[in-house]
């Protein structure tokens, strides 16, 4: 990761990955602080700031960019609807990037990521229903 990091504009991870990286770098255990420090790491290209996105399951998603942290709440899902969390992180990233690539802002991209991961965790395995559409 250390070799690839200078070339990254976006870094995605979950709370466990954030905590492990924070421990490795001796940055502590505060996830927003870890996100800020990771976002501020040197880049080879100065054309845009790095954005760090840490999901935390049902807890708020942390986004760090240019010295600021935004927190985006996750809509509560009833426990009986939770089937399988495999693929939730990948679904989040896919939803996020799909909106970002269409010119969406970070807030809308996070919303799409939350939506996609919410769909995935209500199904067994990494499957997506045909009739499902993000709005």
């Amino acid at each position: 990761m250390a070799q690839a990091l200078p070339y990254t504009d976006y870094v995605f991870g979950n709370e466990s990955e954030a905590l492990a990286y924070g421990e490795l770098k001796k940055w502590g255990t505060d996830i927003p602080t870890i996100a800020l420090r990771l976002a501020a790491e040197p880049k080879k290209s100065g054309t845009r700031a790095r954005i760090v996105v840490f999901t935390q399951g049902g807890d708020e998603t942390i986004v760090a960019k240019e010295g600021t942290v935004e927190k985006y709440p996750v809509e509560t899902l009833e426990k009986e609807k939770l089937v399988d969390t495999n693929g939730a992180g990948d679904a989040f990233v896919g939803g996020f990037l799909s909106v970002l690539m269409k010119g969406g802002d970070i807030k809308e991209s996070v919303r799409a990521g939350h939506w996609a991961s919410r769909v995935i965790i209500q199904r067994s395995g990494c499957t997506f229903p045909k009739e499902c559409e993000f709005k």
Side-chain angles (χ1 to χ4, degrees):
M1 184 170 164
Q3 290 179 345
L5 187 63
Y7 303 97
T8 61
D9 290 334
Y10 290 86
V11 175
F12 295 91
N14 63 38
E15 72 277 12
S16 298
E17 294 162 339
L19 290 170
Y21 200 73
E23 182 180 338
L24 175 75
K25 299 292 274 185
K26 302 197 181 337
W27 291 344
T29 58
D30 181 65
I31 292 177
T33 300
I34 297 165
L36 283 169
R37 302 243 355 228
L38 183 54
E41 287 288 284
K43 287 184 65 185
K44 293 288 183 183
S45 166
T47 57
R48 63 178 67 104
R50 178 180 296 112
I51 297 174
V52 175
V53 182
F54 288 144
T55 59
Q56 302 183 97
D59 295 331
E60 61 198 6
T61 296
I62 305 296
V63 178
K65 177 185 176 186
E66 296 178 313
T68 64
V69 170
E70 295 285 334
K71 298 177 181 181
Y72 298 91
V74 176
E75 185 180 339
T76 303
L77 179 68
E78 299 82 20
K79 287 185 181 186
E80 60 273 3
K81 290 186 177 181
L82 178 62
V83 176
D84 185 356
T85 60
N86 285 315
D90 293 331
F92 175 89
V93 174
F96 184 101
L97 292 176
S98 71
V99 168
L100 186 70
M101 289 174 47
K102 292 179 182 179
D105 62 13
I106 297 297
K107 181 178 181 180
E108 187 65 8
S109 296
V110 169
R111 189 173 83 78
H114 286 168
W115 175 84
S117 61
R118 183 181 179 88
V119 169
I120 289 292
I121 65 175
Q122 293 182 69
R123 301 174 59 83
S124 182
C126 298
T127 62
F128 214 81
K130 290 182 198 177
E131 68 281 354
C132 202
E133 184 178 332
F134 176 65
K135 295 178 182 182

